[in-house]
Amino acid sequence: MAILVTGGAGYIGSHTCVELLNSGKDVVIADNLYNCKKSSLDRIRALVSKDFKFYECDIRDAEGLQKIFDNEKIDSVIHFAGLKAVGESVEKPLEYFDNNVNGTLVLLDVMRKNNCKKIVFSSSATVYGMNNISPLTEDMEVGGVTNPYGRTKFMIECILKDLYTSDNDWSICLLRYFNPIGAHKSGTMGEDPNGIPNNLMPYITQVAIGKREFLNVWGDDYDTPDGTGVRDYIHVVDLALGHLKAVEKVEADNGLFIYNLGTGIGYSVLDVVRAFEKASGVKIPYKIAPRRAGDIATCFSSSEKALKELGWKAERGIEEMCEDSWRWQSQNPQGYPD
């Protein structure tokens, strides 16, 4: 039986597929290639011990998804596919609700029709909103979200919770993760956003290679040690290994499981800039810009529950995250080939 990975050609999905395949899992990838390049699949193949199937398919395409279930023996799903930029979501809320929420409804309906009831969902720490104090724990109230992207993640969590309440044969794992950065140690896989990066690390690395003139730091007047936003940055490979543990959990037990995946350490934007400069030897010029809509001051996790129940913890520190990010970008200045 195989694991269907929606969005498996993207940044987190591709790294997760490497870990799944190298652990002996059978993998089928579905991706519409909206925010990634097909050549990322070749990089996966070069790093793994077994091959996988790929379908170019949008999660809103019920017929396309059904063809995958007709052709492959799908036992469980890891659901990454979705639009993910906070700022863009404020500008394009309808597109985010259509793609993320409607797409998940279509996927779940096809899964139900095919009696596939095991899913790991790529959620986000953004569901905790602005009213909880870090470190964030899974038992805190969620839903006070500040932007449409976060609202889609919260709405999907509600849908999945209601689905489990209606049918306890489902096994559902909600992974609330924090800020993935880093790249595969080989330097052949990493984050390659289309257009201007919305996340901090790819923006820093593009400044480092001269693709962009300087880094915009969105606000320096937050209630933090240096005034810039504090986040919990997690190495993408640690995050991928968390998904491996989560899929093993849903394969073994029925239930609704919720876990944070983070390091439990908060770093400011300027902390990350300094760590990257040390790792790369490259000076990163930056300018202070106004705060972005929907951003909060501080967000970092407690991942003790994941350690206790999944046996997972983040192993890689900020230095390794920066070193691996720089290795990827310096070896692939244009990202993945078209």
Side-chain angles (χ1 to χ4, degrees), residues 84-91 96 126 130 145-149 178-179 191 193 196-204 215-222 227-231 233 267-269 287-299:
K84 62 176 186 175
V86 169
E88 183 184 60
S89 78
V90 175
E91 299 169 1
Y96 271 67
T126 191
M130 341 185 24
V145 291
T146 58
N147 54 75
Y149 161 73
F178 286 68
N179 293 66
E191 189 169 8
I196 299 173
N198 289 292
N199 296 327
L200 176 62
M201 184 56 76
Y203 210 117
I204 289 175
L215 169 71
N216 279 311
V217 176
W218 305 106
D220 67 345
D221 57 350
Y222 288 105
T228 64
V230 170
R231 298 292 183 269
Y233 295 93
Y267 292 99
S268 74
V269 172
K287 294 183 179 179
I288 304 300
R291 294 185 185 190
R292 292 185 300 189
D295 275 352
I296 61 175
T298 300
C299 179

Side-chain angles (χ1 to χ4, degrees), residues 153-167:
K153 293 295 188 183
F154 172 65
M155 291 172 70
I156 294 167
E157 283 201 6
C158 291
I159 290 165
L160 289 166
K161 290 174 182 177
D162 288 342
L163 180 59
Y164 178 71
T165 299
S166 73
D167 182 357

Side-chain angles (χ1 to χ4, degrees), residues 43 183-190 324 327-329 331-332:
R43 302 294 179 90
H184 193 274
K185 185 66 68 179
S186 65
T188 62
M189 288 176 51
D324 292 343
R327 184 181 301 108
W328 151 254
Q329 190 72 85
Q331 293 181 11
N332 302 269

Side-chain angles (χ1 to χ4, degrees), residues 1-4 69 73-77 116-118 251:
M1 303 297 283
I3 302 165
L4 174 63
F69 279 86
K73 295 179 179 179
I74 304 298
D75 181 59
S76 57
V77 174
C116 175
K117 296 185 176 183
K118 302 178 188 299
E251 288 174 346

Side-chain angles (χ1 to χ4, degrees), residues 10-16 19 84 178-193 199-205 232-240 263 272 275-276 279 316-330 332 336:
Y11 174 46
I12 304 170
S14 60
H15 285 80
T16 299
E19 301 305 326
K84 62 176 186 175
F178 286 68
N179 293 66
I181 60 175
H184 193 274
K185 185 66 68 179
S186 65
T188 62
M189 288 176 51
E191 189 169 8
D192 182 26
N199 296 327
L200 176 62
M201 184 56 76
Y203 210 117
I204 289 175
T205 61
D232 186 339
Y233 295 93
I234 177 174
H235 197 293
V236 67
V237 173
D238 278 331
L239 191 60
T263 65
V272 177
F276 183 85
R316 295 159 179 82
I318 190 69
E319 296 83 5
E320 189 169 355
M321 298 179 212
C322 291
E323 289 169 2
D324 292 343
S325 294
W326 177 234
R327 184 181 301 108
W328 151 254
Q329 190 72 85
S330 60
N332 302 269
Y336 290 109

